[in-house]
Amino acid sequence: MSPRFSLRARHRFATVSAIHMTELEQQLQSVRNEAEAAIAACVDLQSLTRLKAKYIGRQGAVTAALEKLGKLPKEDKPRIGKLANEVKNALTTAFTARQDELEAKAAVTGPTLDLTLPGRCHHIGHLHPLTQVFERTVAIFRRMGFAVEDGPEIETEWHCFDALNTPADHPARDIQDTLYVDLPPHEKYGRYVMRTHTSPVQVRTMLKQKPPIRVVVPGRVFRRDNPDATHSSTFHQIEGLYVDKNVTVADLKGTVEFFFKQLLSPDTKVRFRPHFFPYTEPSFEIDLSSPHLVSRGKEWLEVAGCGMVDPNVFKAVGYPDDEYTGWAFGFGIERIAMVMWSINDIRLFTENDVRFLEQF
Ligand code: DAH
């Protein structure tokens, strides 16, 4: 390089450097002014964080300026480098101070209230569908003069079977069907079982009171069943018992028919089909037919058992021979609920899935 060229070249570079230097210095100065104004105007911590990133973050304006330092001529580097660091430090201090101020203010005023947020929806609970069927059933029978009775879920074999004319070799008493409770047997009434039906409460009621008796017994029962769409090891029944002088099958049919028409709809048809239960003679199964059922492709659906109280049951509770007659029934609550709402799986009642429960 000739000295002439060198001189000119240096002059040229010096001029360019001078312009760069001024630009960068000016740029730093204006970034500082702008940032300080923005910090002072900032009123919440979230925007402050954004500002911090914009100015002194890794991709911020000051960092960008610092990166340009490398390209400056040697003699300018220290001066501008110093300025850049001053700006960075000043802004860091300003951010920290403002952050402290805003945090202190937030601590006093608490979180700001956002009036534009949509309100929270409070879900209103309601009774379980089975409870609704119980309550409606009990209400209808109360209107007909029935009282509500209750009995233990852990029963004795005598109340659950013997007193109900169900002999020791009856298949219902089999270990396959009944859950026996691991307790020392009752000295008079035998082993303890989880009651397989609400019928033992008939026995308990008759033991403690004389006819006329008109009771319904809502309750939970237990069987040794494998759960599937129509079986559950625990389900619910409502038992009915009417004992007086001259009670007839006509009373039974009239009462049951009235009940189902009230519960479901006046166009519900009720059919009595001869059947066998040890504690009633004659015995029937009750089938229902209503518009809901037809739409599910089946005309008649069995929902209950009933019959005229067997004289052996009266004998077991110590009633005099031939003085009284009576009828009894046992309705399956899940069965009725399934008919009412076209539900096809009994397990839904105990799974507690809100998507199912909120439909009722
Ligand atoms: N206990 C019977 C059952 O669990 C239902 C039943 C049938 C009850 C006839 C009665 C009755 O009172 O008379 O399947």
Side-chain angles (χ1 to χ4, degrees):
M1 222 193 263
S2 71
R4 243 184 106 213
F5 181 80
S6 169
L7 257 179
R8 268 179 53 199
R10 238 195 268 144
H11 176 71
R12 232 178 73 212
F13 283 133
T15 314
V16 170
S17 297
I19 291 167
H20 270 293
M21 182 184 75
T22 316
E23 258 179 21
L24 200 52
E25 276 175 322
Q26 270 175 1
Q27 197 183 326
L28 280 164
Q29 200 52 56
S30 71
V31 165
R32 178 177 184 164
N33 293 342
E34 190 188 306
E36 281 174 350
I39 293 169
C42 182
V43 290
D44 71 282
L45 287 161
Q46 251 182 9
S47 344
L48 191 70
T49 310
R50 278 199 297 271
L51 282 181
K52 200 168 170 181
K54 180 176 168 189
Y55 290 108
I56 57 173
R58 251 193 290 155
Q59 287 170 5
V62 178
T63 316
L66 280 167
E67 272 163 12
K68 288 189 195 159
L69 272 179
K71 292 187 188 126
L72 292 178
K74 244 191 189 158
E75 60 269 30
D76 295 336
K77 275 188 192 165
R79 196 179 74 258
I80 303 187
K82 192 170 162 232
L83 175 65
N85 276 327
E86 266 170 30
V87 171
K88 190 171 181 181
N89 292 338
L91 291 183
T92 308
T93 314
F95 273 117
T96 312
R98 188 67 182 144
Q99 189 175 339
D100 289 348
E101 271 170 35
L102 291 178
E103 273 171 3
K105 207 164 127 196
V108 175
T109 57
T112 44
L113 182 63
D114 183 353
L115 294 174
T116 66
L117 275 177
R120 262 184 220 135
C121 172
H122 291 278
H123 293 281
I124 296 170
H126 61 71
L127 296 175
H128 190 280
L130 295 181
T131 311
Q132 292 183 38
V133 177
F134 267 141
E135 291 202 344
R136 284 160 69 171
T137 302
V138 166
I140 295 166
F141 278 101
R142 274 192 195 281
R143 288 208 296 277
M144 291 192 271
F146 283 72
V148 177
E149 268 297 337
D150 196 10
E153 289 180 347
I154 297 179
E155 259 302 357
T156 69
E157 269 191 300
W158 186 80
H159 290 89
C160 202
F161 300 119
D162 298 281
L164 289 165
N165 196 35
T166 310
D169 60 358
H170 192 278
R173 296 178 70 152
D174 200 283
I175 192 92
Q176 308 294 332
D177 293 305
T178 301
L179 292 157
Y180 284 84
V181 181
D182 198 6
L183 281 174
H186 188 282
E187 55 185 41
K188 192 165 160 204
Y189 297 127
R191 286 180 294 175
Y192 287 95
V193 296
M194 299 305 292
R195 69 175 175 196
T196 54
H197 50 182
T198 42
S199 306
V201 189
Q202 290 185 29
V203 176
R204 290 184 177 274
T205 309
M206 288 190 277
L207 282 174
K208 72 178 182 195
Q209 85 185 71
K210 283 209 144 53
I213 291 175
R214 266 197 230 104
V215 291
V216 283
V217 186
R220 186 178 182 189
V221 302
F222 307 84
R223 293 205 187 154
R224 200 160 174 162
D225 260 332
N226 287 326
D228 63 25
T230 52
H231 294 87
S232 168
S233 55
T234 171
F235 55 98
H236 300 82
Q237 293 186 332
I238 190 156
E239 192 79 14
L241 176 69
Y242 177 30
V243 184
D244 203 350
K245 293 189 168 142
N246 304 319
V247 175
T248 67
V249 178
D251 297 316
L252 169 62
K253 287 188 84 170
T255 309
V256 167
E257 208 169 301
F258 176 81
F259 164 72
F260 280 112
K261 283 177 189 284
Q262 288 272 307
L263 182 76
L264 300 171
S265 63
D267 55 8
T268 304
K269 284 185 275 176
V270 180
R271 179 172 83 173
F272 282 64
R273 201 166 18 82
H275 197 73
F276 173 80
F277 294 104
Y279 28 92
T280 42
E281 183 57 37
S283 304
F284 310 94
E285 271 191 332
I286 303 168
D287 297 336
L288 293 183
S289 170
S290 86
H292 316 268
L293 299 178
V294 175
S295 69
R296 293 175 66 212
K298 249 189 184 178
E299 212 201 329
W300 293 97
L301 211 98
E302 174 219 321
V303 288
C306 66
M308 300 304 291
V309 179
D310 193 290
N312 282 340
V313 178
F314 287 146
K315 202 184 222 169
V317 297
Y319 282 179
D321 274 355
D322 296 333
E323 202 171 329
Y324 303 110
T325 53
W327 53 247
F329 64 72
F331 297 160
I333 295 298
E334 279 81 355
R335 264 295 168 94
I336 293 175
M338 288 166 90
V339 168
M340 279 173 71
W341 289 298
S342 295
I343 298 164
N344 56 15
D345 194 325
I346 198 170
R347 291 168 291 196
L348 289 164
F349 294 116
T350 43
E351 277 170 357
N352 273 343
D353 187 328
V354 176
R355 289 167 300 181
F356 168 73
L357 294 175
E358 67 191 2
Q359 295 173 48
F360 302 93

